[in-house]
């Protein structure tokens, strides 16, 4: 195990584009798991731009992260809903939709839910 690891999101290990050019996921693969920075463009919605890749009715990833900029609404399958924005810590259980609000991209860091996020479903 390395004593110090430093990486920059300008040079990720992997980049996964979202449908219709509505954003991307920049990913680092670390010993502790995947760490990602997602850029969700205005107009992005999980059910439109990730669902075709995931092949599930709602997002089944559990997210633990931090919102750097922009705003997003999270709607849980059970009807619970909330808005997140800059400086917010987030923990989101599987079973949700989400969409960007406003005209600024929403940028979020996540260290638990991006291993398979926006990866085409195996067929």
């Amino acid at each position: 195990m390395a004593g110090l690891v430093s990486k920059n999101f300008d040079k990720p290990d992997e980049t996964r584009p979202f449908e219709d050019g509505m954003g991307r996921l920049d990913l680092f693969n670390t010993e502790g798991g995947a760490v990602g920075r997602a850029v969700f463009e205005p107009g992005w919605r999980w059910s439109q731009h990730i669902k075709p890749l995931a092949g599930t009715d709602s997002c089944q990833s559990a997210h633990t992260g931090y919102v750097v900029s922009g705003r997003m609404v999270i709607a849980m399958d059970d009807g619970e809903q909330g808005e997140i924005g800059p400086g917010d810590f987030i923990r989101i259980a599987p079973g949700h939709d989400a969409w960007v609000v406003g005209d600024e991209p929403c940028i979020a860091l996540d260290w638990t839910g991006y291993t398979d996020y926006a990866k085409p479903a195996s067929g």
Side-chain angles (χ1 to χ4, degrees):
M1 179 163 113
L4 173 66
V5 175
S6 176
K7 295 185 175 204
N8 189 301
F9 277 113
D10 290 338
K11 297 179 182 175
D13 295 335
E14 180 182 356
T15 296
R16 297 178 190 158
F18 300 157
E19 292 282 310
D20 301 325
M22 293 299 288
R24 71 182 187 281
L25 171 62
D26 297 320
L27 195 65
F28 291 133
N29 298 302
T30 73
E31 290 179 8
V35 176
R37 173 185 68 180
V39 178
F40 305 98
E41 295 294 338
W44 176 90
R45 188 176 184 113
W46 186 92
S47 53
Q48 288 179 263
H49 302 103
I50 303 297
K51 181 178 179 175
L53 298 170
T56 57
D57 288 336
S58 61
C59 181
Q60 296 303 307
S61 295
H63 302 284
T64 305
Y66 175 80
V67 180
V68 176
S69 62
R71 304 199 69 75
M72 182 179 285
V73 171
I74 310 298
M76 303 303 295
D77 289 351
D78 68 4
E80 180 182 4
Q81 186 171 302
E83 188 171 317
I84 59 175
D88 287 346
F89 166 81
I90 53 174
R91 186 155 179 94
I92 306 166
H96 57 273
D97 194 3
W99 56 90
V100 172
V101 292
D103 58 3
E104 179 184 1
C106 183
I107 299 174
L109 305 177
D110 186 321
W111 48 91
T112 60
Y114 284 163
T115 298
D116 292 323
Y117 195 83
K119 192 183 254 189
S122 8

